[in-house]
Amino acid sequence: MTLNAKPKLTRAEFGKTPEGAPVQIYTFTNKNGLEARITNYGGIVVSLKTPDRKGAMADIVLGFDTLSGYLTSSSPYFGALIGRYGNRIGHSRFTLDGVEYKLAANNGENSLHGGVHGFNKAVWTPRELPDGGLELTYLSKDGEEGYPGNLRVIVTYHLTDVNELKLDYAAMTDKDTVLNLTNHSYFNLKGGGNGDILDHLVTLNADRFTPVDAGLIPTGELRSVSGTPFDFRKATAVGARIEQNDEQLKLGKGYDHNWVLNKNGTGPSLAARVEEPSSGRVLEVLTDQPGVQFYTGNFLDGTIKGKDGKPFAHRGGLCLETQHFPDSPNKPKFPSTVLKPGQQFHSTTIYRVTTSGASGGR
Ligand code: BGC
């Protein structure tokens, strides 16, 4: 095989939606034997198989073997593309250009992850790209889930030979709108279904986070992580402080917060690093977005059975949702999520998988 061999991309049928729409699943493989499977239903990353430090492969994302698993309402957004607005909008409403827009309240009084029928439930139009990538397109119509403007969204996936799963997001609108696009993969570097992630060592490149109220809506404050259980500037086990008597941890039932990423420059930079000491698997997340929602699977409780029938334990996976800050449409001081006609939205997030050298060390 030549050094620059294109990663392979193959296609298979994955089933039909209840409305009868056929759905495909695409399999990427790279020269190192990594394998990523993506479906055009919700743009879901169905599986991501990576080696441990001895070369043994495991699927490090949570999910299901079949399309029907994802069609049930109990799937907590496993692997999916999230939009039109990732995370929460307070009171399910916002005002733009003097007009108030009302959204579906699907999380108490708030709107979560785009509403009742978010982008995670859409059948996207797939196109295999000449460079070995996969492009998914979706037209979110004016008024869909309450949002203004026809929004065309294009997400492209590449699996590179340097073991990166790269997602590029692009969007255009014909009316002023708001958007916040992300991917909701849950990672367990021991392999999905193999216990919890409390032993995973996490580093977040962030000096501040956005504290929340009881509905998990940011208060608007950008709070220093210094001296708090939210300080992940040095690699720390997820479980080291998660049960501390801390108001913010109690509100989130664990970590379920947005960190304000330290940035210099505009391109993708390191947002997070996760290392699982026993397997040596390491995940690095790079993004050009201003924030990351670090969610520790606090709402998983062992009732959902995934691939091979294995249940997903409480805190059986962690999410690193690269994003704009939650509730930005109602927080004028947060970076703007407004997209206007004539503008092109572009964003890149990279999930890089490697292994650490010696057993238990780095
Ligand atoms: C949210 C959690 C929510 C989860 C959905 C995360 O992005 O922050 O509060 O429960 O998505 O499974």
Side-chain angles (χ1 to χ4, degrees):
M1 195 184 292
T2 64
L3 209 61
N4 297 318
K6 260 184 226 162
K8 257 195 357 221
L9 180 63
T10 59
R11 179 185 61 219
E13 299 306 313
F14 197 41
K16 283 190 172 151
T17 66
E19 296 76 33
V23 170
Q24 282 79 44
I25 187 157
Y26 294 84
T27 303
F28 288 96
T29 35
N30 77 359
K31 74 175 171 80
N32 309 315
L34 256 77
E35 184 198 272
R37 291 192 307 147
I38 318 288
T39 171
N40 64 316
Y41 177 78
I44 293 170
V45 179
V46 173
S47 63
L48 179 58
K49 291 190 182 144
T50 75
D52 68 6
R53 68 162 69 83
K54 292 180 183 148
M57 303 298 279
D59 179 359
I60 62 165
V61 295
L62 276 52
F64 302 101
D65 292 314
T66 60
L67 177 63
S68 60
Y70 294 100
L71 294 172
T72 63
S73 57
S74 64
S75 171
Y77 305 91
F78 286 143
L81 291 181
I82 306 293
R84 183 175 304 197
Y85 197 95
N87 214 281
R88 293 174 176 79
I89 295 187
H91 303 287
S92 305
R93 58 172 189 250
F94 65 94
T95 299
L96 184 60
D97 303 329
V99 180
E100 185 179 79
Y101 294 96
K102 293 202 169 68
L103 310 169
N106 62 341
N107 190 248
E109 59 176 3
N110 303 320
S111 184
L112 176 67
H113 293 333
V116 176
H117 200 276
F119 292 3
N120 58 300
K121 291 189 176 159
V123 177
W124 294 61
T125 305
R127 186 165 76 99
E128 292 164 52
L129 300 174
D131 67 358
L134 171 67
E135 177 191 271
L136 300 181
T137 303
Y138 178 61
L139 175 67
S140 170
K141 299 246 173 75
D142 188 11
E144 185 180 285
E145 294 293 321
Y147 291 94
N150 290 298
L151 183 78
R152 182 173 294 281
V153 187
I154 303 172
V155 183
T156 50
Y157 298 73
H158 287 91
L159 180 68
T160 70
D161 278 340
V162 287
N163 296 354
E164 296 172 339
L165 179 63
K166 182 165 173 268
L167 271 65
D168 291 291
Y169 301 84
M172 280 168 298
T173 183
D174 62 0
K175 252 189 207 173
D176 287 12
T177 192
V178 294
L179 91 158
N180 191 20
L181 304 174
T182 192
N183 174 274
H184 208 295
S185 288
Y186 289 67
F187 297 94
N188 182 328
L189 302 185
K190 287 182 283 209
N194 293 334
D196 64 44
I197 46 74
L198 295 173
D199 51 1
H200 286 42
L201 303 174
V202 169
T203 314
L204 299 175
N205 182 18
D207 295 337
R208 293 171 299 170
F209 74 111
T210 52
V212 292
D213 68 15
L216 297 188
I217 300 295
T219 59
E221 180 189 350
L222 307 184
R223 186 179 292 174
S224 167
V225 296
S226 247
T228 78
F230 290 76
D231 190 348
F232 280 94
R233 292 175 295 187
K234 290 203 183 94
T236 308
V238 175
R241 300 164 301 186
I242 201 166
E243 300 299 349
Q244 276 185 14
N245 186 14
D246 174 273
E247 185 218 13
Q248 284 297 315
L249 282 174
K250 293 223 174 326
L251 291 171
K253 300 190 166 48
Y255 296 105
D256 191 356
H257 296 75
N258 171 69
W259 269 254
V260 179
L261 293 171
N262 298 336
K263 288 273 169 200
N264 40 30
T266 52
S269 58
L270 191 71
R273 182 182 188 275
V274 186
E275 175 174 344
E276 196 284 299
S278 65
S279 66
R281 288 194 188 84
V282 173
L283 170 73
E284 289 171 311
V285 181
L286 294 89
T287 190
D288 52 15
Q289 290 290 283
V292 66
Q293 184 84 9
F294 175 43
Y295 168 59
T296 46
N298 310 313
F299 295 110
L300 298 175
D301 60 5
T303 55
I304 302 176
K305 292 195 175 60
K307 297 163 193 165
D308 298 327
K310 284 188 186 171
F312 294 126
H314 184 222
R315 298 183 176 144
L318 60 84
C319 301
L320 290 159
E321 302 154 59
T322 56
Q323 61 177 9
H324 269 257
F325 307 167
D327 201 32
S328 295
N330 294 309
K331 297 282 185 309
K333 290 192 176 144
F334 285 178
S336 172
T337 53
V338 174
L339 186 71
K340 293 175 180 289
Q343 295 179 334
Q344 280 248 12
F345 172 83
H346 276 292
S347 172
T348 299
T349 290
I350 295 166
Y351 304 93
R352 185 192 287 154
V353 289
T354 57
T355 53
S356 65
S359 182
R362 296 200 46 175

